Amino acid sequence: MNDPRHDDKTTGLEGPNAPLHRRGIKSYVLRAGRTTQAQTRGLEEVWPRLGLTLADGRQDLDALFGRQAPRVLEVGFGMGGSLIEQAERHPGTDFIGIEVHAPGVGKLLDEADKRGLTNLRVYREDALAVLEQCLPEASLDTLQLFFPDPWPKKKHHKRRIVQPAFVELVRGRLKPGGTLHMATDWQAYAEWMAEVMEAAPGFANTAGPETAPYVPRPEFRPLTKFEARGEKLGHGVWDLIFKRVD
């Protein structure tokens, strides 16, 4: 969900027992877009090795990666630059990325193959469906949500992915002590995130009293080109990191 921004889209309520991804939160709208030769190579040649689908079912992550290691999931990686950088910088950690837009998925797969990365897997699916159907409980050390669509108009706030039901789903997939790390360049959305998280059971804010509810950008979160341009223009970015405590 890095810029170019995704559209979160609601699809109508189907009752409280319906899957979360069908109860009014959808993390994207598919958009037409051209793919480059390299992106097409990633989708066609690298996907069979690193790609995952809902049809693969609930994953045994140790079997998937062939080892035990810390696990990081990034929801909406955009064109994949940040995720590639993290996977290359931290070979001892396993990364799973979720993105629905073909150019971004193809670019990430092409880059992962060129750099020989083995600690990265990719879903091209609805993130909420992946969380519900594919990832075991208490299997993640970190979930990253960087620069999701802020849906700034009040009438569209219900379309924001950060909602109490989403946060509760994330809590179940995080290990005790695991973290939900969010970042946004929209202050109003940062305030929304903080409000939702402060009300969410089982989480504690890791921010110190000097900066709460936000934290300074951690060194381990790569600075995106979009963010760097914004900083030069004086735009703010807000990071929030909450730990699962129950």
Side-chain angles (χ1 to χ4, degrees):
M1 291 183 187
N2 299 324
D3 277 68
R5 300 179 186 279
H6 296 302
D7 292 330
D8 300 66
K9 181 180 179 183
T10 55
T11 56
L13 301 179
E14 297 187 28
N17 296 320
L20 179 59
H21 68 282
R22 292 168 54 199
R23 288 209 312 267
I25 303 176
K26 196 171 181 66
S27 58
Y28 62 90
V29 165
L30 285 174
R31 292 172 175 166
R34 296 180 180 180
T35 56
T36 66
Q37 184 175 356
Q39 292 163 1
T40 299
R41 173 186 173 273
L43 291 168
E44 294 180 353
E45 299 180 20
V46 187
W47 175 266
R49 210 161 26 88
L50 301 183
L52 300 169
T53 70
L54 295 180
D56 295 326
R58 189 80 65 188
Q59 294 288 344
D60 178 336
L61 297 184
D62 289 349
L64 178 66
F65 288 99
R67 63 178 183 177
Q68 293 183 336
R71 304 272 155 67
V72 176
L73 174 71
E74 182 163 335
V75 174
F77 56 74
M79 297 306 289
S82 170
L83 189 54
I84 285 287
E85 183 176 339
Q86 291 178 77
E88 189 169 46
R89 188 189 300 173
H90 303 287
T93 297
D94 294 330
F95 293 85
I96 300 172
I98 304 177
E99 177 59 61
V100 296
H101 295 276
V105 174
K107 180 175 177 59
L108 179 133
L109 290 170
D110 181 63
E111 283 294 324
D113 183 61
K114 288 177 178 177
R115 302 185 191 202
L117 300 180
T118 60
N119 60 334
L120 179 62
R121 299 293 185 276
V122 181
Y123 280 97
R124 189 184 172 196
E125 304 278 4
D126 179 353
L128 298 171
V130 172
L131 286 166
E132 287 182 324
Q133 300 175 31
C134 302
L135 297 179
E137 292 188 4
S139 60
L140 301 175
D141 293 89
T142 302
L143 188 142
Q144 299 177 162
L145 180 67
F146 297 155
F147 306 102
D149 193 310
W151 288 103
K153 293 183 180 180
K154 186 174 182 179
K155 66 180 180 180
H156 292 152
H157 285 182
K158 63 184 178 181
R159 299 185 179 187
R160 291 172 169 174
I161 190 172
V162 180
Q163 305 282 350
F166 169 74
V167 172
E168 180 61 18
L169 176 59
V170 170
R171 182 171 75 97
R173 298 301 178 264
L174 288 174
K175 298 175 183 177
T179 56
L180 170 56
H181 181 186
M182 298 177 288
T184 180
D185 59 321
W186 285 74
Q187 184 173 3
Y189 198 12
E191 293 169 355
W192 169 286
M193 291 173 171
E195 182 178 348
V196 170
M197 292 305 302
E198 293 293 352
F203 280 98
N205 196 341
T206 67
E210 303 84 4
T211 62
Y214 312 112
V215 298
R217 181 181 71 84
E219 291 186 2
F220 58 77
R221 179 172 73 75
L223 186 68
T224 67
K225 292 181 180 178
F226 165 81
E227 186 178 353
R229 287 197 301 267
E231 283 190 349
K232 290 181 180 179
L233 295 173
H235 298 171
V237 172
W238 293 265
D239 282 78
L240 302 94
I241 301 180
F242 281 76
K243 179 185 294 187
R244 178 185 171 182
V245 294
D246 181 22

